[in-house]
Amino acid sequence: MAKEICVIGTGYVGLIAAVGLSDFGNYVTGVDIDPKKIDSLNKGILPIYEPGVEPYLKRNLQSGRLKFTVDIDKALSESQVIFLAVGTPPKKDGSADLAQVESVINSIVKNLNGYKVIVTKSTVPVGTNRWIYEKLKEKAPTGTFDVVSNPEFLREGKAIQDFFHPDRLVVGHETGKAREVMEDVYRSLFINQTPMLFCNWETAELIKYASNAFLAVKISFINEMANLADAVGGDVKQIAKAMGMDGRISSKFLHPGPGYGGSCFPKDTQAIVATGKKYQIDMSVIRQAIDANEKQKHLIVKKLQEQFGTLEGKKITLLGLAFKAETDDIRESSAIAVVEDLLESGAQISCTDPQAIDNFQAMFPQCSYNRDSFEALTDADICIILTDWNEYRNIDLQEMGRVMNEKVIFDVRNILKPSSARAMGFTYLGHGVQS
Ligand code: UGA
């Protein structure tokens, strides 16, 4: 049966969950403290760039199954299922800050007017769901409720595809009643045989961290392999392809790049290391992956300096600022480290990106910006490709060569064909590729 749901927090995860759960036939209210955002969401305008979400937002607003509000008390009192999707930013020691979660718990206590299931969607440290349960029990001893951990695995840029076709759903729960409610909430996926894994709270919390940390390790691994391939004259694309043919390894997430970024891998790897420290378990594999990733970001400018000497006064154009394609998100993007290193080197920096210019310009007003790639490349001495946007994969090399001062490309994502670029007179540097 369809449920009355509220989703607290309309950031990335909360927004997609609200839109997706209403599309499954549930009645959903998205809650946020930002009235401007709520206003624009109620008009069907997305506050972020995420392909494919807008039609779902509009459709479900029109059907009356989806609405947004700042009135948390009303939304909580009218809902049977409460999804927590508020921020859990990292503290200085790498552990997660749960202040926003605690504030929502206080609001839930005031509105516990019947049995409710509180579902944690935000990525939270191991032990948080038990802590939420105990806090609620302490503050509302006569309240009837269950707590569920339901981590989210969607990727930015592919959110719709991942929400409607997940590889699996993870539900950490303690009672049969909570399990039944979650089967109802996700009935559309459940009847389509999406695997639903039921486990305890701690297991669900760890599954999320283990998955992100493993992928981060995989990326750091292939980046190191690319560095080594460069040094010995090997080709990392072929290495990754052959490795991926081994079903135990799989070919996914074996693409070398400028180091992983975004709001998830950097934060979650730090958080799991902090959890290990708390329980005196040395998470040395993940620690090394974090360290390798930090170094990888700084290898980019270093490699240019090794190859071309001083960069002082050179005009360097960055193609791509977002931490990956199909997003305007620049959080922990490697472009930040690259620009910091370039500023230190005395280079002149020109930047372009299909979606992320505004966010980046707010952080680095001293660089020059142009939405048009060729305008940004005009008179450049070196072009660094940092984000794997499709439009860069097919960039017109002839036009690029015509507008640049020196024909040098550093393709950190390996998205061009080295032989084609070289045939057109470019000095081409890749990341562990030869031809
Ligand atoms: C990641 C996970 O993939 C999602 O499953 C998870 O739900 C999400 O974090 C989260 O915890 O919320 P996301 O951060 O959106 O998703 O982006 P990814 O596609 O995983 O990429 C992360 C970073 O790794 C990007 O900087 C990307 O360019 C880089 N990457 C990815 C590589 O350098 N090489 C690869 O082969 C894959």
Side-chain angles (χ1 to χ4, degrees):
M1 214 178 74
K3 297 282 174 217
E4 295 282 347
I5 297 176
C6 74
V7 180
I8 315 294
T10 59
Y12 199 79
V13 168
L15 174 59
I16 307 298
V19 170
L21 291 170
S22 62
D23 208 70
F24 290 161
N26 297 294
Y27 292 87
V28 182
T29 306
V31 181
D32 205 287
I33 49 170
D34 180 348
K36 260 171 67 187
K37 199 176 190 187
I38 291 300
D39 206 37
S40 87
L41 284 169
N42 276 325
K43 288 182 186 137
I45 303 165
L46 276 184
I48 48 164
Y49 174 76
E50 177 62 39
V53 180
E54 212 161 273
Y56 283 90
L57 172 67
K58 291 198 163 122
R59 180 162 92 200
N60 290 293
L61 283 170
Q62 269 157 19
S63 75
R65 283 197 309 272
L66 177 64
K67 59 181 190 283
F68 295 91
T69 180
V70 286
D71 189 347
I72 186 166
D73 290 321
K74 185 163 186 283
L76 286 170
S77 63
E78 289 174 356
S79 302
Q80 189 192 354
V81 186
I82 300 161
F83 277 78
L84 302 185
V86 291
T88 55
K91 291 198 283 196
K92 274 206 180 98
D93 63 357
S95 65
D97 182 348
L98 295 176
Q100 294 179 50
V101 176
E102 186 149 18
S103 143
V104 179
I105 292 175
N106 292 333
S107 302
I108 294 174
V109 170
K110 283 196 282 162
N111 294 286
L112 213 45
N113 53 354
Y115 172 72
K116 294 188 196 280
V117 178
I118 293 104
V119 185
T120 314
K121 259 270 167 241
S122 313
T123 301
V124 291
V126 184
T128 305
N129 282 280
R130 194 166 295 283
W131 174 82
I132 293 174
Y133 178 80
E134 276 157 14
K135 277 255 161 205
L136 283 167
K137 262 272 151 288
E138 176 198 316
K139 294 183 184 212
T142 56
T144 51
F145 63 87
D146 272 307
V147 171
V148 164
S149 167
N150 175 219
E152 185 52 70
F153 297 100
L154 54 83
R155 291 161 295 174
E156 292 189 22
K158 301 228 162 53
I160 286 292
Q161 182 192 320
D162 287 351
F163 193 88
F164 290 104
H165 305 282
D167 291 332
R168 76 298 205 192
L169 284 169
V170 173
V171 176
H173 69 111
E174 299 275 304
T175 70
K177 201 169 169 189
R179 175 177 175 149
E180 278 168 27
V181 169
M182 293 307 285
E183 283 172 357
D184 271 348
V185 166
Y186 286 113
R187 180 141 310 274
S188 307
L189 294 180
F190 193 53
I191 54 178
N192 278 335
Q193 318 237 304
T194 297
M196 248 176 146
L197 190 110
F198 294 96
C199 54
N200 69 15
W201 290 323
E202 287 74 12
T203 307
E205 290 161 342
L206 265 183
I207 287 170
K208 168 71 190 196
Y209 282 110
S211 305
N212 273 3
F214 188 80
L215 293 171
V217 168
K218 220 173 162 185
I219 296 168
S220 281
F221 178 90
I222 202 67
N223 278 335
E224 281 192 345
M225 222 26 89
N227 298 340
L228 188 59
D230 256 337
V232 303
D235 192 306
V236 75
K237 272 195 176 172
Q238 285 177 305
I239 296 166
K241 191 171 173 192
M243 283 173 68
M245 286 169 180
D246 183 331
R248 295 169 302 175
I249 298 173
S250 122
S251 58
K252 307 234 173 88
F253 275 69
L254 278 182
H255 304 287
Y260 60 77
S263 66
C264 305
F265 288 175
K267 172 167 81 76
D268 294 353
T269 45
Q270 295 281 359
I272 196 171
V273 167
T275 303
K277 205 166 168 193
K278 184 169 158 200
Y279 292 92
Q280 280 121 45
I281 304 292
D282 185 6
M283 308 302 285
S284 59
V285 173
I286 304 170
R287 269 198 296 111
Q288 294 305 322
I290 297 170
D291 186 48
N293 196 59
E294 262 325 291
K295 289 188 179 131
Q296 196 66 43
K297 297 178 188 178
H298 295 286
L299 281 180
I300 297 165
V301 171
K302 205 165 156 222
K303 186 165 168 180
L304 286 177
Q305 286 165 327
E306 277 166 13
Q307 194 85 14
F308 304 107
T310 178
L311 300 178
E312 190 156 6
K314 292 223 187 280
K315 176 167 175 181
I316 303 193
T317 298
L318 305 191
L319 287 195
L321 304 167
F323 81 96
K324 64 173 194 175
E326 298 300 335
T327 180
D328 59 357
D329 196 344
I330 60 154
R331 283 176 290 176
E332 304 286 332
S333 170
S334 299
I336 296 170
V338 170
V339 165
E340 281 167 354
D341 290 349
L342 286 175
L343 285 170
E344 204 165 305
S345 75
Q348 255 188 73
I349 309 162
S350 159
C351 303
T352 185
D353 187 285
Q355 294 294 337
I357 287 183
D358 293 346
N359 289 338
F360 208 81
Q361 194 162 13
M363 198 171 196
F364 292 104
Q366 63 273 63
C367 302
S368 72
Y369 294 87
N370 214 304
R371 268 166 221 282
D372 183 275
S373 302
F374 299 109
E375 296 278 344
L377 283 162
T378 299
D379 297 330
D381 298 297
I382 299 171
C383 162
I384 311 178
I385 303 179
L386 280 180
T387 312
D388 45 349
W389 286 100
N390 276 341
E391 66 178 77
Y392 302 152
R393 291 178 197 275
N394 294 314
I395 196 157
D396 181 344
L397 288 174
Q398 199 161 0
E399 182 60 6
M400 198 168 158
R402 199 184 65 74
V403 298
M404 286 181 75
N405 184 39
E406 299 278 342
K407 292 169 80 174
V408 178
I409 300 175
F410 184 8
D411 178 8
V412 186
R413 295 272 186 180
N414 294 334
I415 60 174
L416 301 181
K417 202 163 186 275
S419 54
S420 308
R422 289 188 183 121
M424 302 203 61
F426 282 92
T427 300
Y428 175 92
L429 304 180
H431 184 188
V433 291
Q434 305 309 317
S435 55

